[in-house]
Amino acid sequence: MIMIINYIHAQNVDGYYYQVCNMLRMTQQREIILEELKKFAGHPTADELFDEVKKRLSHVSLATVYRNLEILSGAGLISKIEISGRQKRFDSDLQQHTHVYCLSCHRVDNIELQSKSSIDFKAKDHQGYRIDGYRIEFKGFCPDCLTKTDNKGGKSMGCKKCGTSGLSEPQRKVLEALAKSKEPCAGKDIALVAGMEAKQVSCQITALKKKGYVASPIRCKYEITRDGQKALA
Amino acid sequence: MIMIINYIHAQNVDGYYYQVCNMLRMTQQREIILEELKKFAGHPTADELFDEVKKRLSHVSLATVYRNLEILSGAGLISKIEISGRQKRFDSDLQQHTHVYCLSCHRVDNIELQSKSSIDFKAKDHQGYRIDGYRIEFKGFCPDCLTKTDNKGGKSMGCKKCGTSGLSEPQRKVLEALAKSKEPCAGKDIALVAGMEAKQVSCQITALKKKGYVASPIRCKYEITRDGQKALA
DNA sequence: GCTTGACATGATAATGATTATCAATTACAT
DNA sequence: ATGTAATTGATAATCATTATCATGTCAAGC
C-alpha cells in the first residue's frame, strides 16, 4: 500500500519554489510500530516503543523506530508529544486532547477538562504567525511520585566509570567510612577512616547528600542514609 | 547575598524522610545570567544565552550556564520552557502567560489570549495526580518560516565527515556532475560524468533532494538547485 | 586569625537522545 | 528485465546536556 506524504520544499535555479512529494510505503515495520503504539498504555518514548516492537520483530533497529516515528508523525498518522525539553513521546490518538505531565518522573497521561472549560481559543494578535493549533497541558506530580517510595524521578545520568550504584571511588570510600560508624561523624573523622584529605571528603559528602546517600542530622556531622546503605550493597 | 533554596529529599537509616536545605549564593555569573535573560528578546536556549553571557564574562563555561539555568529555575527565579522535545528554553517572566511555537524553526514567542479566553482550568478527574498548574501553547509557523527564504528551519545535524557544506564525497561528485550540465539529466548520464555506479547515484540523488540541493523538473531527470550551487561553492 | 565547612567554577569527560551514512534489500514502474 | 525509488540494519556521528574533579571563594565557628 502506498500513501502520498511528506512534502520537501526545494528551490530550482530559477528561484521558483516547489514541493517534492514522495511515495511512502506501509512496510511491516511501520504496521507493527503503529499497532504497538495503539496498544501502549500511555505515551511512550522511542526507546520504550522499541522494546515492544522488538518482541515482534527481533531484527528491527532502534534507528528504524526513531526514523519511522518521525516519518509517521510528519505524515499525520500519529501525534508527536513534545512536553519535555529533552525527550519526545508519541501518541496514536490524533484527536485534540489534554495531557498531564509529571514534573518528577516525566510521565505523561491523558486528562479531561471539565466540560465548561472546553472552548476554542484564539490568540489576540498573531504577530505574523500562522497559527495551526494549540495545546493545553497540566503539570504536577503523578501518584507514584507523590508517595515517593524508592522512585527518584526520571532518568538521571550516572557515570559508567562509577559502576551501577552511581558511586565514584572516592564516594564509595566516604560511604564505607560512614557505614562503619554507629554515630554521626565529622568530616575529619571520616577523612581519618577513609584515608583521604578532609577537603576531598567534604566535596564527596556534598555530592552524596545530593544523591540522598548521606544526611546531616547535626550540623557538621554526617551519617549514611538507607539509600546510601543500599548503594553500597 | 545568600538565599535559601533547593530542598533535596532524603531518608535516614531510621526510615524518616526529611529535607536537606542548602544555601545558594548570588555569584557574579548568576547575576549576569539573570540580567542577560531579562534583556534577551525572546526565550533563549542555554547555548544562545551563553553567547551573550560570554561577551561580559570571557572565562565563563557553558557548563556553568547550563548548571545555573537549572538551579535558578529550580529556585523559582526564572521559568523553564519545555515546548520542544529536544531542547529547553528559559524565560525571565515568571507570570503565567501563553507562548507560540514555530513548528519549523522551533522559535518561541509570547502571545496573548483574547480576553474572553482567559479562564481558569480544572481537570475533570485528577487520576491521582497533584496538579500544580497548566500551560497553553499555540503552534504554527513564524513570519520568517512563512516566507521561507533561505531558512531551512531548526538545526539539523550535519556530518562533520562531509565538511561545512553538509555533502559527503559521493554527493559532491553527483552535484558537480549536475552543475556541469545545462539541462536536466537522467541518473545514467550523471553516473557517466561522475564515474559512479548508477545505483549509487540514485541513492545520492535521493539524499540531495531531501537536502534541497537537487530537483526533478521532469520525472527521472534531475537538475541542481540554487541551494545546491551554493553548497558547491 | 586560623581552621573547617560549604557552595561554585572551569575544563573536560561522559551520557542520553537522536540523526546521518552507506551498502544492501525490497518493491514499483516501464 | 531494467531502471528508479523507498526502506532497512548496523553503526558512526552529533547535539544537548550532565557528571567529575581539583581548585577557588566565602561564611561560620572556635
Side-chain angles (χ1 to χ4, degrees):
Chain A
M1 178 169 89
I2 291 169
M3 66 202 83
I4 298 174
I5 296 175
N6 276 0
Y7 295 81
I8 302 165
H9 291 269
Q11 182 184 28
N12 67 14
V13 293
D14 297 316
Y16 292 101
Y17 283 94
Y18 63 98
Q19 288 178 324
V20 181
C21 110
N22 46 332
M23 302 288 195
L24 301 181
R25 298 177 191 157
M26 182 56 77
T27 59
Q28 186 189 25
Q29 289 89 338
R30 287 177 178 163
E31 284 186 337
I32 292 175
I33 284 168
L34 288 171
E35 285 167 15
E36 289 303 321
L37 185 59
K38 267 181 168 45
K39 284 162 63 182
F40 207 98
H43 311 79
T45 61
D47 206 44
E48 289 167 344
L49 192 67
F50 172 64
D51 289 341
E52 298 308 312
V53 172
K54 200 160 180 63
K55 289 170 184 168
R56 294 174 59 182
L57 278 177
S58 58
H59 52 84
V60 77
S61 161
L62 177 59
T64 297
V65 175
Y66 265 101
R67 189 164 44 218
N68 278 303
L69 286 172
E70 287 297 324
I71 289 170
L72 293 169
S73 67
L77 295 177
I78 61 176
S79 296
K80 178 161 65 175
I81 296 172
E82 300 192 71
I83 206 168
S84 152
R86 191 159 157 72
Q87 196 173 30
K88 295 167 191 165
R89 290 182 177 273
F90 296 87
D91 193 347
S92 60
D93 184 357
L94 291 170
Q95 294 291 324
Q96 169 91 24
H97 58 288
T98 308
H99 292 120
V100 61
Y101 168 67
C102 180
L103 293 162
S104 180
C105 68
H106 313 301
R107 154 181 167 187
V108 176
D109 287 302
N110 288 334
I111 199 164
E112 282 183 55
L113 290 172
Q114 285 193 347
S115 59
K116 57 180 170 283
S117 306
S118 303
I119 65 170
D120 279 329
F121 290 97
K122 289 184 175 20
K124 182 188 275 187
D125 169 16
H126 288 200
Q127 301 178 42
Y129 270 79
R130 191 189 83 198
I131 304 290
D132 282 0
Y134 66 87
R135 66 188 194 206
I136 304 170
E137 280 139 14
F138 287 90
K139 56 194 177 189
F141 295 91
C142 72
D144 291 342
C145 293
L146 280 174
T147 59
K148 276 287 188 194
T149 49
D150 289 324
N151 183 5
K152 276 189 170 24
K155 275 182 185 173
S156 67
M157 297 180 189
C159 178
K160 272 277 188 350
K161 190 196 275 179
C162 302
T164 54
S165 60
L167 290 173
S168 64
E169 199 46 41
Q171 284 167 14
R172 178 170 289 277
K173 279 179 165 179
V174 168
L175 218 49
E176 282 168 353
L178 280 171
K180 284 170 185 166
S181 174
K182 300 272 193 284
E183 310 183 326
C185 297
K188 283 175 66 172
D189 302 323
I190 301 167
L192 241 79
V193 175
M196 289 167 66
E197 282 193 48
K199 189 167 177 61
Q200 297 314 317
V201 168
S202 178
C203 288
Q204 299 310 340
I205 285 175
T206 300
L208 289 164
K209 276 164 71 183
K210 275 181 172 170
K211 288 176 174 175
Y213 296 155
V214 160
S216 183
I218 310 166
R219 195 173 186 283
C220 297
K221 299 272 190 174
Y222 308 97
E223 67 185 7
I224 194 168
T225 62
R226 180 177 286 172
D227 284 339
Q229 286 173 341
K230 284 176 191 165
L232 281 180
Chain B
M1 179 169 86
I2 293 170
M3 70 202 82
I4 299 174
I5 295 174
N6 278 359
Y7 294 83
I8 301 164
H9 291 269
Q11 182 185 29
N12 66 14
V13 292
D14 297 316
Y16 290 100
Y17 282 95
Y18 62 99
Q19 289 178 320
V20 180
C21 111
N22 48 330
M23 303 284 193
L24 300 182
R25 298 178 192 159
M26 183 56 76
T27 58
Q28 187 190 23
Q29 289 91 337
R30 286 177 179 163
E31 285 187 334
I32 292 175
I33 285 168
L34 288 171
E35 284 167 16
E36 290 303 320
L37 186 59
K38 268 182 168 42
K39 284 161 62 181
F40 207 97
H43 311 78
T45 61
D47 207 44
E48 288 166 345
L49 193 65
F50 172 65
D51 290 341
E52 298 308 314
V53 171
K54 199 157 181 68
K55 288 168 184 169
R56 294 174 58 182
L57 279 176
S58 60
H59 52 83
V60 76
S61 161
L62 178 58
T64 296
V65 175
Y66 266 100
R67 189 164 44 218
N68 278 304
L69 287 172
E70 287 296 323
I71 289 171
L72 293 169
S73 66
L77 296 177
I78 61 176
S79 296
K80 179 162 62 174
I81 297 172
E82 300 192 71
I83 205 169
S84 150
R86 192 159 155 71
Q87 195 172 33
K88 295 166 190 166
R89 289 181 177 273
F90 296 87
D91 193 349
S92 59
D93 184 356
L94 293 170
Q95 294 290 324
Q96 170 92 25
H97 58 288
T98 308
H99 292 119
V100 60
Y101 167 70
C102 179
L103 293 163
S104 180
C105 68
H106 313 302
R107 152 181 169 186
V108 175
D109 286 302
N110 289 334
I111 200 164
E112 281 184 56
L113 290 172
Q114 286 192 347
S115 57
K116 56 179 172 282
S117 306
S118 302
I119 64 168
D120 280 327
F121 289 98
K122 289 187 175 20
K124 181 186 273 186
D125 168 16
H126 288 199
Q127 302 179 41
Y129 269 80
R130 190 188 83 199
I131 304 291
D132 282 1
Y134 66 88
R135 65 189 196 206
I136 305 169
E137 280 139 15
F138 288 90
K139 57 195 177 187
F141 295 92
C142 71
D144 290 343
C145 294
L146 280 173
T147 59
K148 276 286 188 195
T149 49
D150 289 325
N151 184 5
K152 277 192 168 25
K155 275 181 186 175
S156 67
M157 297 178 189
C159 177
K160 273 276 189 351
K161 191 195 276 177
C162 302
T164 53
S165 61
L167 291 173
S168 64
E169 198 48 40
Q171 283 166 12
R172 177 169 289 277
K173 278 178 167 179
V174 169
L175 218 49
E176 281 167 355
L178 280 171
K180 284 169 184 165
S181 175
K182 302 270 193 284
E183 309 182 332
C185 297
K188 283 173 68 174
D189 302 322
I190 301 167
L192 241 79
V193 175
M196 289 168 68
E197 282 192 50
K199 192 166 178 55
Q200 296 314 314
V201 169
S202 179
C203 287
Q204 302 309 340
I205 284 175
T206 300
L208 289 164
K209 276 163 72 182
K210 276 181 172 167
K211 288 176 173 173
Y213 296 156
V214 159
S216 183
I218 310 166
R219 195 172 185 283
C220 296
K221 300 272 188 172
Y222 307 98
E223 64 184 8
I224 194 168
T225 62
R226 179 176 288 171
D227 284 342
Q229 286 173 339
K230 284 176 194 164
L232 280 180

